């Protein structure tokens, strides 16, 4: 088909023959067939439909794999650490009982109140990959079809039209429509980034002052480093891979919609904060009797779950306990099974979180060199 079209174009260029309408329509069909062969238009349609469904059901990133992913090994931890209980395997999820004392939890809450909490930020994880995918799919599908249809409309009544003019008009139209489509996709991703803030209504602040060796923040960082590294004399190196502890407050009715902690575009978008998130460690700073569950929407409930009516894996906040899971494997492959959410709070809920990244997390996201030296 390619050779036939090229030979006809070459013949027309040599002989300068005009195309009658029937011939033009014939060549349009041939060009359309060529586009259909090379352009995964069905993939574009499926991509849009699948992501509309995914966005309706959750706040998942647009860029999700449609095939079952094969995950590598998670990062190792010290499973002999006191209080560690594995509640699920593949993907692994742990509870660490009494990870922090009541005094340490209260200290972190008080320090957060003193520093003042602001609206929790929301990042559009995967924006770079989404933009790239949408532009590529548009270029192979709608942009090409619109360019071809526009060329036909421009030349259908031109008695002097030939294959060369058809090609030239198609390319001109393609360039114009591609620029317009790229601009619209950029606007869409920007709008989506702004709209994501409504999915998270909590308030939060970071605690990075480790000068008080008896503070809850210092205890949190030290115990987290020991849990991940398994040694008691290497806090500094391990803690350099942490984002600074974040304390988050959920007042009644506040939520965190379903989301991922890993980023499919971490190598680009999170390069200034240590790359991919390999582990999430959350400690509950108070007891929550009503609401405020941590729910993993893609994992079934535990057989011994005490939450009536819950069909998905949930964890109820308990003062001092921590939950640990692994958003990505050691290669940075995102694990979509670990989509999770903070259910609407009925009672006030306080948590503290550390994200453990693949590489050093520099300030302002991570701990400063002065803070690390204290460890």
């Amino acid at each position: 088909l390619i050779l036939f079209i090229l030979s006809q174009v070459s013949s027309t260029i040599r002989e300068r023959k005009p195309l009658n309408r029937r011939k033009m329509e014939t060549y349009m069909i041939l060009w359309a067939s060529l586009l259909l062969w090379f352009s995964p238009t069905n993939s574009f349609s499926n991509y849009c439909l699948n992501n509309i469904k995914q966005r309706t059901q959750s706040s998942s990133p647009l860029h999700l794999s449609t095939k079952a992913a094969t995950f590598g090994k998670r990062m190792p931890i010290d499973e002999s650490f006191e209080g560690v209980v594995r509640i699920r395997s593949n993907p692994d999820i742990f509870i660490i009982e009494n990870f922090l004392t009541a005094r340490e939890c209260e200290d972190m809450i008080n320090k957060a109140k003193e520093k003042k909490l602001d609206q929790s930020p929301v990042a559009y994880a995967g924006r770079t990959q989404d933009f790239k995918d949408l532009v590529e799919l548009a270029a192979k599908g709608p942009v090409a079809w619109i360019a071809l249809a526009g060329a036909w409309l421009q030349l259908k009544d031109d008695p002097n039209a030939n294959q060369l003019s058809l090609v030239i008009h198609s390319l001109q139209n393609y360039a114009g429509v591609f620029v317009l489509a790229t601009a619209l996709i950029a606007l869409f991703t920007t709008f989506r980034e702004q709209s994501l803030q409504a999915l998270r209504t909590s308030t939060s602040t970071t605690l990075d002052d480790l000068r008080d060796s008896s503070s809850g923040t210092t205890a949190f960082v030290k115990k987290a480093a020991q849990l991940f590294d398994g040694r008691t004399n290497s806090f500094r190196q391990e803690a350099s891979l942490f984002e600074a502890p974040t304390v988050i407050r959920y007042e009644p009715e506040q939520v965190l919609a379903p989301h991922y902690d890993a980023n499919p575009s971490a190598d680009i978008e999170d390069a200034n904060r240590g790359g991919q998130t390999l582990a999430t460690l959350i400690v509950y700073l108070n007891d929550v009797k009503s609401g405020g569950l941590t729910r993993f929407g893609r994992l079934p409930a535990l057989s011994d779950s005490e939450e009536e009516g819950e069909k998905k894996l949930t964890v109820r906040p308990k003062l001092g306990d921590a939950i640990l899971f692994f958003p990505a494997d050691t290669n940075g492959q995102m694990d979509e099974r670990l989509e999770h959410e903070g259910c609407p709070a009925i009672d006030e809920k306080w948590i503290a979180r550390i994200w453990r990244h693949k590489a050093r997390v520099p300030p302002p996201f991570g701990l400063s060199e002065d803070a690390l030296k204290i460890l």
Side-chain angles (χ1 to χ4, degrees), residues 55-68:
R55 292 197 300 273
T56 301
Q57 293 176 343
S58 73
S59 61
S60 309
L62 292 178
H63 183 68
L64 296 175
S65 63
T66 55
K67 298 180 181 179

Side-chain angles (χ1 to χ4, degrees), residues 53-337:
K53 181 178 180 182
Q54 288 158 354
R55 292 197 300 273
T56 301
Q57 293 176 343
S58 73
S59 61
S60 309
L62 292 178
H63 183 68
L64 296 175
S65 63
T66 55
K67 298 180 181 179
T70 302
F71 298 101
K73 293 182 179 180
R74 60 166 174 81
M75 64 164 289
I77 66 166
D78 179 8
E79 295 190 37
S80 66
F81 188 92
E82 184 177 358
V84 170
V85 178
R86 186 195 298 261
I87 63 171
R88 181 186 166 85
S89 297
N90 192 27
D92 293 345
I93 300 177
F94 297 89
I95 294 292
I96 303 95
E97 299 173 343
N98 301 312
F99 187 72
L100 292 182
T101 66
R103 187 199 64 79
E104 291 165 344
C105 291
E106 183 180 6
D107 181 68
M108 293 192 76
I109 292 175
N110 291 335
K111 289 291 196 307
K113 288 179 177 179
E114 291 172 8
K115 191 173 179 181
K116 188 181 178 182
L117 294 91
D118 298 313
Q119 178 74 43
S120 298
V122 177
Y124 182 173
R127 175 176 179 170
T128 302
Q129 189 64 48
D130 286 347
F131 180 81
K132 178 182 176 182
D133 288 348
L134 286 171
V135 169
E136 182 179 352
L137 289 167
K140 293 179 179 178
V143 171
W145 286 102
I146 292 172
L148 195 58
W152 180 77
L153 290 173
Q154 291 168 320
L155 298 175
K156 64 184 179 71
D157 297 321
D158 185 351
N160 296 318
N162 55 41
Q163 289 176 329
L164 180 60
S165 59
L166 179 61
V167 172
I168 292 173
H169 277 77
S170 295
L171 292 175
Q172 290 174 336
N173 292 343
Y174 186 92
V177 176
F178 180 78
V179 170
L180 178 61
T182 302
L184 290 174
I185 291 169
L187 287 174
F188 165 74
T189 53
T190 300
F191 171 77
R192 175 169 171 78
E193 183 175 34
Q194 295 171 346
S195 66
L196 286 176
Q197 187 60 61
L199 303 175
R200 186 174 194 176
T201 55
S202 60
T203 53
S204 61
T205 190
T206 57
L207 300 179
D208 54 7
D209 186 351
L210 306 183
R211 288 174 295 179
D212 183 356
S213 61
S214 64
S215 71
T217 306
T218 303
F220 187 23
V221 173
K222 283 185 175 181
K223 291 179 181 180
Q226 185 178 353
L227 172 66
F228 288 130
D229 190 82
R231 292 174 288 177
T232 58
N233 60 350
S234 59
F235 298 137
R236 187 180 307 174
Q237 181 178 353
E238 185 63 31
S240 71
L241 306 175
F242 296 169
E243 285 197 31
T246 301
V247 175
I248 306 168
R249 177 188 186 184
Y250 294 89
E251 298 182 79
E253 302 304 320
Q254 290 186 338
V255 300
L256 175 54
H259 65 285
Y260 301 99
D261 287 350
N263 183 349
S265 301
D267 290 343
I268 299 172
E269 296 175 2
D270 293 336
N272 63 338
R273 58 199 307 163
Q276 188 62 279
T277 304
L278 301 187
T280 296
L281 179 65
I282 296 172
V283 61
Y284 300 107
L285 302 180
N286 69 321
D287 288 318
V288 180
K289 294 182 179 180
S290 300
L293 298 173
T294 301
R295 176 188 289 135
F296 294 84
R298 297 184 174 221
L299 301 175
L302 301 174
S303 58
D304 58 350
S305 174
E306 297 179 357
E307 305 299 332
E308 293 186 9
E310 277 290 347
K311 296 182 179 180
K312 301 299 181 181
L313 192 156
T314 56
V315 176
R316 178 165 296 283
K318 182 182 177 183
L319 173 66
D321 282 3
I323 181 171
L324 171 65
F325 55 94
F326 307 90
D329 64 24
T330 53
N331 295 318
Q333 171 69 40
M334 176 176 164
D335 191 340
E336 295 165 10
R337 299 171 297 175

